[in-house]
Amino acid sequence: MHRVPTRDRVIFLTYDDGAEKDPRFVDMVRELRLPVSMFLTDSVVGPGYGHFARLRAVGASIQNHTLDHAALRGLPYAGQRAEICGQQSKLRARFGVRPRLFRPPYGTYDTTTLRAAAHCGVTAVVLWRAAMEGDGELTYAKGPRRLRAGDIVSVPSSEPTGLSLRERTTRLLREIQARGLTVGRLEDYV
Ligand SMILES: [Zn+2]
């Protein structure tokens, strides 16, 4: 899914990969009570899971973005299952719960991905309609070039340069507010 069918005036904030581990982002999530969803890739997070435990403690949810950030489409079933189930196991061992949501790296997937994800306990494959990369500009995967109720926004963190997640989130919140929208908790809708 790229967006959630809802009449509620909500936008969903999702953060990919898990490269940036800025404690000030944890402060922001806590202070604003932001219901953010973190889609984590094991090889990107590396030894940095403690940061995401702190985020989780202030209300963030932890979701699956594979072990190694492989482009899954076209890969054999066993390989796709290993990428997805492997990260389910890591996250369950680390946080005590198995994620329900999965985001395929680069948004690329096929029917084999859906089968493998279901086998691994995933109930929804979550894509995005808009993304905010490090340059701070919102780009739209499809549809109108403005935020609408139900949109899922992706904020990837893998590039080493550009604006911090905190800075990008500030920009997003300004845009969300200007449109009369608010931030919703994705897990309450999906
Ligand atoms: Zn990614």
Side-chain angles (χ1 to χ4, degrees):
M1 62 176 58
H2 296 83
R3 50 202 310 273
V4 173
T6 177
R7 302 182 89 125
D8 295 351
R9 303 283 299 159
V10 288
I11 296 289
F12 304 100
L13 296 183
T14 64
Y15 296 78
D16 294 352
D17 312 318
E20 188 194 287
K21 300 165 187 80
D22 179 0
R24 292 176 314 154
F25 181 68
V26 182
D27 295 340
M28 179 185 221
V29 168
R30 187 186 60 238
E31 284 160 14
L32 301 180
R33 298 170 189 257
L34 276 184
V36 297
S37 305
M38 315 301 295
F39 287 84
L40 301 182
T41 293
D42 185 63
S43 63
V44 176
V45 172
Y49 277 110
H51 171 75
F52 298 97
R54 288 188 282 281
L55 267 173
R56 189 162 177 269
V58 297
S61 88
I62 303 295
Q63 306 294 352
N64 187 334
H65 195 46
T66 73
L67 282 177
D68 294 313
H69 213 268
L72 297 178
R73 186 166 62 200
L75 293 184
Y77 178 77
Q80 295 207 33
R81 195 184 58 194
E83 279 284 343
I84 302 168
C85 282
Q87 182 65 338
Q88 291 287 83
S89 302
K90 290 245 181 189
L91 294 175
R92 184 180 196 163
R94 190 67 180 77
F95 299 107
V97 287
R98 189 168 68 164
R100 276 197 307 112
L101 308 183
F102 170 67
R103 169 167 287 163
Y106 316 103
T108 179
Y109 69 100
D110 56 20
T111 54
T112 305
T113 315
L114 302 179
R115 232 166 14 102
H119 174 84
C120 303
V122 168
T123 58
V125 172
V126 177
L127 301 172
W128 60 92
R129 196 179 76 82
M132 184 174 270
E133 307 276 352
D135 62 3
E137 296 298 321
L138 260 176
T139 57
Y140 295 87
K142 48 164 71 178
R145 299 179 52 78
R146 59 180 167 77
L147 289 178
R148 287 183 302 171
D151 278 345
I152 300 169
V153 179
S154 158
V155 188
S157 78
S158 38
E159 69 270 17
T161 57
L163 297 178
S164 69
L165 294 186
R166 186 186 166 97
E167 289 167 319
R168 280 185 270 168
T169 302
T170 300
R171 287 187 184 210
L172 272 170
L173 291 176
R174 215 176 284 145
E175 180 73 17
I176 287 167
Q177 212 162 29
R179 302 246 169 237
L181 297 157
T182 181
V183 181
R185 182 179 302 279
L186 184 60
E187 294 72 19
D188 290 345
Y189 287 81
V190 175

